[in-house]
Amino acid sequence: MAELTIAAIRSAADAIAPHVLRTPVLEAVRPDAVLLCKAESLQPIGAFKLRGAFHAMQQLPADCPGVVAHSSGNHAQAVARAARLLGLSAVVVMPSDAPARKRAAAEADGAEVVEVSPDSEERERMADRLARERGLVPIPPYDDLRVATGQGTAALELLDDVGPIDRFYAPVSGGGLMAGCAVAVHALAPECEIIGVEPSGGDRLAASLASGSRELLPTPTTLADGLRVRRVGAVTWPILQAHVARSEPVTDDELLDAMAFAARNLRLVLEPSGAASLAVALREGRGRCGVLLSGGNAEPAVLARALARPVRWQDGAGLPS
Ligand SMILES: *Cc1c(COP(=O)(O)O)cnc(C)c1O
């Protein structure tokens, strides 16, 4: 399979350009930092996952019988949307506790939804079985070089728009987003420090970077439903190990405060996973920081909870110096 390189990310960017939004970069000013926020929450379907899904699915042969994906949310929506626009049929395997509106969104795009128990291994087994029995092509959520290359186009756009940065923050679950973005960032800003963000109590990349091998942790209890895997991917791990300097934990309270900051100061709705990188950048950012805001599919009740909290962070933009 093709390697994950900046050249591959550039050609992916050209290939997916007709289907994805070139999202804006919004600035937030802090006493010691400028946060250059890449608003992937504004992507159709509300998350960067459209990039990887399109890049993987555009390469399928015309006689492909269809695709299958398993996901509790954003990847299912991305595969369903890409399948509709590419004229493919899609089956998505979703857990019975997936948010009703994410399931409805996949169905509205014409995908067949197969429901399984919330156990994440059950989901994988069902997707494998459907692939075998119906000849469907699996589209993995993160552990695939085509997918990770597609996700890297978000960081390519960011650096093309803002020039060199000192730090780059992105959330890490399986690591497809970070693997692609890290390669793009280091190609265009070799000195940049690349920092992952994970739920506190479930920081498996931090544990893996410390031990030097891919660690398995218990499923974290976190509001960030997009960041609940137990370990980073086998394919993404060596890329993460080569590029990511460190990975920082984030608590639910910090996620809520970052969601509130984004709503008040950037006029952006973020889901908890989508606010994770911002939470850590607000806490410790220095210099010019690229901040990848990964998704905006917030449950209204969670957004309401975030906005009801006392204001924790103020944007320095526009304040007298
Ligand atoms: C999928 C997802 C992530 C994590 O992406 P990985 O490639 O699995 O690391 C982060 N934020 C949001 C909003 C997501 O949907």
Side-chain angles (χ1 to χ4, degrees):
M1 190 182 284
E3 267 182 279
L4 208 180
T5 59
I6 185 65
I9 295 168
R10 282 201 187 282
S11 79
D14 291 340
I16 68 176
H19 302 294
V20 303
L21 188 67
R22 185 174 184 108
T23 53
V25 178
L26 307 176
E27 259 186 48
V29 177
R30 303 283 306 143
D32 300 314
V34 176
L35 309 184
L36 302 154
C37 300
K38 177 71 169 163
E40 284 295 295
S41 52
L42 297 176
Q43 208 55 260
I45 77 111
F48 70 90
K49 286 212 171 63
L50 207 50
R51 297 175 180 271
F54 264 114
H55 186 240
M57 289 164 63
Q58 277 176 327
Q59 303 176 30
L60 296 174
D63 61 354
C64 168
V67 297
V68 58
H70 62 87
S71 158
S72 59
N74 292 336
H75 180 61
Q77 290 184 76
V79 168
R81 176 64 55 88
R84 178 165 68 77
L85 295 176
L86 295 170
L88 295 162
S89 71
V91 180
V92 294
V93 179
M94 298 181 86
S96 49
D97 64 348
R101 49 190 279 279
K102 292 193 173 179
R103 179 184 170 142
E107 284 172 337
D109 270 320
E112 174 188 340
V113 175
V114 173
E115 195 177 281
V116 294
S117 79
D119 177 63
S120 73
E121 284 170 15
E122 168 73 19
R123 235 183 286 169
E124 280 176 44
R125 272 197 301 275
M126 177 59 85
D128 287 348
R129 207 179 96 196
L130 288 165
R132 264 198 326 275
E133 288 177 359
R134 292 164 61 173
L136 303 173
V137 178
I139 305 296
Y142 53 81
D143 214 19
D144 179 289
L145 287 180
R146 297 163 305 177
V147 171
T149 301
Q151 319 300 32
T153 61
L156 173 67
E157 289 177 5
L158 171 65
L159 288 241
D160 277 352
D161 284 353
V162 307
I165 52 177
D166 303 305
R167 292 186 180 186
F168 176 76
Y169 293 94
V172 177
S173 189
L177 173 66
M178 183 54 117
C181 287
V183 167
V185 170
H186 266 170
L188 302 173
E191 303 299 315
C192 181
E193 184 185 17
I194 297 182
I195 301 151
V197 177
E198 300 178 279
S200 142
D203 46 348
R204 35 209 142 54
L205 177 58
S208 305
L209 291 172
S211 75
S213 63
R214 197 162 65 100
E215 299 290 342
L216 180 70
L217 265 58
T219 305
T221 305
T222 171
L223 278 176
D225 54 354
L227 306 180
R228 281 187 192 142
V229 306
R230 300 185 57 197
R231 65 176 158 199
V232 299
V235 171
T236 55
W237 162 240
I239 304 166
L240 300 170
Q241 192 179 26
H243 292 280
V244 178
R246 56 192 168 92
S247 190
E248 296 296 328
V250 67
T251 65
D252 280 355
D253 281 351
E254 290 176 305
L255 293 172
L256 292 167
D257 288 337
M259 287 172 68
F261 179 91
R264 291 201 180 92
N265 300 291
L266 304 176
R267 273 69 60 187
L268 278 185
V269 172
L270 300 180
E271 64 187 273
S273 306
S277 55
L278 179 60
V280 174
L282 285 166
R283 187 171 84 199
E284 60 142 69
R286 292 282 177 282
R288 286 168 56 78
C289 299
V291 181
L292 199 131
L293 306 178
S294 56
N297 292 318
E299 295 290 317
V302 177
L303 182 62
R305 228 174 109 188
L307 291 171
R309 294 170 60 81
V311 173
R312 165 111 177 257
W313 303 108
Q314 295 280 4
D315 188 357
L319 295 178
S321 49

